[in-house]
Amino acid sequence: MSGTSQACARIDEAVAAYNIDSRINGRLLSKTPYGNGHINDTFLLRYELPDQGEKKYILQRMNHDIFKNPPLLMENIVHVTDYLRAIIRSRGGDPERETLNVLKTGDGASFFQDSGNNYWRVYPFIERSLCLEKAGSAKDFYDSAVAFGSFQKMLSDYPAETLHETIPNFHNTPSRFQDFRTAVQNGDRKRAALAEKEIAFALDRASETSVLTSLLSIGALPLKVTHNDTKLNNILFDQDTGKALCIIDLDTVMPGLSLYDFGDSIRFGASTGAEDETDLDKIELDLSLFEAFTKGYLEGCAGSLTAKEIELLPMGAKLMTYECGIRFLADFLTGDTYFKVHRAQHNLDRARTQFKLVADMEAKWDQMAAIVAKYK
Ligand code: ADP
Ligand code: GN1
Ligand code: MG
């Protein structure tokens, strides 16, 4: 059995530890795999209430091969969401819907460790919300940008030194590049032969990998509390108003660069195709989406970005896309142990879309810079 199937066999232990049925006087109707995340195992729990209504929860097995210390990770999430809740409340917002809420186990803990050493957590499901894999319109993407920008702004006074680094060097592109080179050297030869062109593409850009980390190390870019995984599907939209409602997937909230959050959103959401599209003719950078996001992110950050951060937004987009590409490719070369895959060569397909986007950004570099200049 794989790690995931062993864990899923223990899902009942987790469900019992949370004791939700007796707490809400409900009956468990179903527990089904949910969402499109690449890392954790997510399940939707549906409970029937005595009045025939329903209440839903998200149960997640945290991936402890990737997040080595789930208790410290949960400490981050509890503290960050407590902090956000207070701000949301003070602004007259709805803290139950505008941030994640960690449900305590029957014993009052923020996570549950099962007999196979899997770690689980539960969040009440945010009702009447939508999760998008692709922006329906530039307006959706603009809204997501305002939300990610204001998330960062809300956390600007959070004591960053109290956050645990849940994955060391997460967006350290030179360190990711070293891992990639090791994967090329030690990875599967047959797979490397299939990816010859992509490996060359990545190696050709070695000299650019340290642009952001070098500026950070000399103090030319500020370290902030950032989300670090700002894919469009890590935000929930309000079904009723259509507006961005809640930033989710807080596992990687830790000190980082604003450019990481900007760049990762562009890489995923401003592409004309899916992250794993196999027809590369369908993949390019949509400049109108790039513009919508740039405008929204600067508004959300509300004056907190320095001139240098703003000037480097296109570089953030390019480097985050490149970095994700080398991570997918390294995982392909070493046997798909990190990202969930659903078909042969899935990670290679993903790497190809990222590199196609990088090449398109290079071709559209002046246009990207002109858009940024328009909003600075
Ligand atoms: P992963 O780290 O694997 O990406 P996520 O935390 O992003 O996992 O959750 C996977 C999916 O589950 C999300 O994309 C979203 O669709 C859904 N989801 C997660 N938390 C909630 C929540 N509290 N309410 C509603 N949907 C949620
Ligand atoms: C993973 O967890 P998820 O699916 O939102 C990954 C991100 C990648 C992304 C690529 C902890 O995000 O870094 O950019 O896949 N998360 C982790 O789609 O590695
Ligand atoms: Mg996610």
Side-chain angles (χ1 to χ4, degrees):
M1 257 202 294
S2 71
T4 296
S5 13
Q6 275 173 18
C8 297
R10 293 200 163 89
I11 186 173
D12 292 333
E13 272 184 53
V15 170
Y18 278 91
N19 220 6
I20 296 173
D21 41 6
S22 57
R23 285 156 80 175
I24 62 168
N25 191 18
R27 183 172 70 90
L28 181 63
L29 290 174
S30 62
K31 45 180 194 302
T32 39
Y34 192 78
N36 292 316
H38 294 337
I39 306 295
N40 296 309
D41 295 329
T42 303
F43 300 89
L44 178 68
L45 306 182
R46 288 172 49 236
Y47 288 86
E48 184 182 50
L49 298 172
D51 64 1
Q52 310 280 300
E54 256 191 39
K55 193 153 171 48
K56 303 202 278 289
Y57 295 85
I58 289 286
L59 168 66
Q60 282 181 324
R61 182 187 81 98
M62 291 170 259
N63 185 327
H64 62 262
D65 291 327
I66 290 176
F67 297 107
K68 306 284 184 210
N69 196 328
L72 291 187
L73 179 154
M74 286 312 293
E75 198 177 295
N76 278 0
I77 295 188
V78 167
H79 288 159
V80 165
T81 52
D82 281 350
Y83 188 88
L84 291 173
R85 233 183 326 281
I87 298 181
I88 293 165
R89 206 176 284 118
S90 73
R91 293 176 175 175
D94 180 351
E96 302 302 312
R97 280 168 65 68
E98 294 173 32
T99 185
L100 287 173
N101 288 274
V102 177
L103 187 79
K104 297 280 163 64
T105 64
D107 297 337
S110 59
F111 62 89
F112 169 68
Q113 188 176 4
D114 73 23
S115 56
N117 286 325
N118 297 290
Y119 293 85
W120 301 82
R121 66 177 166 219
V122 171
Y123 299 119
F125 187 89
I126 299 181
E127 302 285 350
R128 303 193 321 284
S129 67
L130 290 172
C131 182
L132 305 178
E133 291 301 320
K134 188 174 176 8
S137 65
K139 168 79 170 59
D140 290 345
F141 201 43
Y142 162 84
D143 283 347
S144 78
V146 176
F148 279 126
S150 37
F151 179 84
Q152 197 181 108
K153 176 86 181 164
M154 279 196 276
L155 292 176
S156 55
D157 290 328
Y158 188 91
E161 66 288 354
T162 63
L163 282 172
H164 307 289
E165 204 178 3
T166 56
I167 300 181
N169 292 319
F170 190 58
H171 282 310
N172 182 329
T173 314
S175 148
R176 294 290 189 183
F177 184 72
Q178 281 315 319
D179 295 346
F180 167 69
R181 277 165 71 132
T182 307
V184 173
Q185 273 153 23
N186 305 338
D188 184 275
R189 303 296 354 136
K190 280 203 194 104
R191 288 186 177 218
L194 287 172
E196 224 172 284
K197 251 177 48 194
E198 289 72 21
I199 293 172
F201 182 95
L203 293 176
D204 274 353
R205 284 155 183 78
S207 63
E208 279 181 290
T209 56
S210 56
V211 174
L212 299 183
T213 45
S214 303
L215 290 169
L216 173 65
S217 68
I218 58 165
L221 284 173
L223 198 62
K224 302 187 166 167
V225 174
T226 47
H227 181 283
N228 296 306
D229 189 3
T230 51
K231 290 205 282 200
L232 189 63
N233 66 12
N234 284 332
I235 188 164
L236 299 176
F237 287 80
D238 190 319
Q239 224 170 61
D240 304 326
T241 64
K243 290 213 161 252
L245 176 67
C246 178
I247 307 283
I248 61 169
D249 204 344
L250 304 176
D251 296 332
T252 51
V253 173
M254 53 188 167
L257 296 180
S258 61
L259 298 163
Y260 299 158
D261 283 2
F262 178 84
D264 198 50
S265 276
I266 295 296
R267 142 194 114 68
F268 187 84
S271 169
T272 49
E275 187 181 73
D276 60 354
E277 173 61 59
T278 51
D279 179 357
L280 292 182
D281 288 342
K282 292 191 180 152
I283 301 290
E284 56 172 302
L285 176 76
D286 182 327
L287 281 173
S288 57
L289 290 177
F290 179 81
E291 176 157 0
F293 198 89
T294 302
K295 181 172 186 290
Y297 194 67
L298 291 175
E299 281 173 26
C301 289
S304 60
L305 298 191
T306 64
K308 193 73 184 161
E309 285 175 290
I310 297 175
E311 174 199 325
L312 285 164
L313 290 174
M315 185 52 84
K318 178 172 158 181
L319 265 194
M320 285 302 97
T321 310
Y322 170 87
E323 181 190 279
C324 202
I326 57 174
R327 291 175 62 198
F328 286 143
L329 189 49
D331 199 30
F332 172 70
L333 295 172
T334 53
D336 304 317
T337 58
Y338 188 97
F339 298 102
K340 285 184 185 173
V341 287
H342 306 292
R343 57 178 189 253
Q345 297 187 29
H346 205 166
N347 272 318
L348 178 57
D349 292 339
R350 290 170 175 151
R352 285 181 171 148
T353 62
Q354 303 308 291
F355 293 159
K356 174 76 197 288
L357 263 183
V358 168
D360 198 44
M361 288 177 191
E362 288 171 350
K364 292 175 175 161
W365 199 248
D366 293 346
Q367 289 152 283
M368 290 165 78
I371 289 169
V372 167
K374 199 166 139 186
Y375 293 100
K376 71 179 182 206

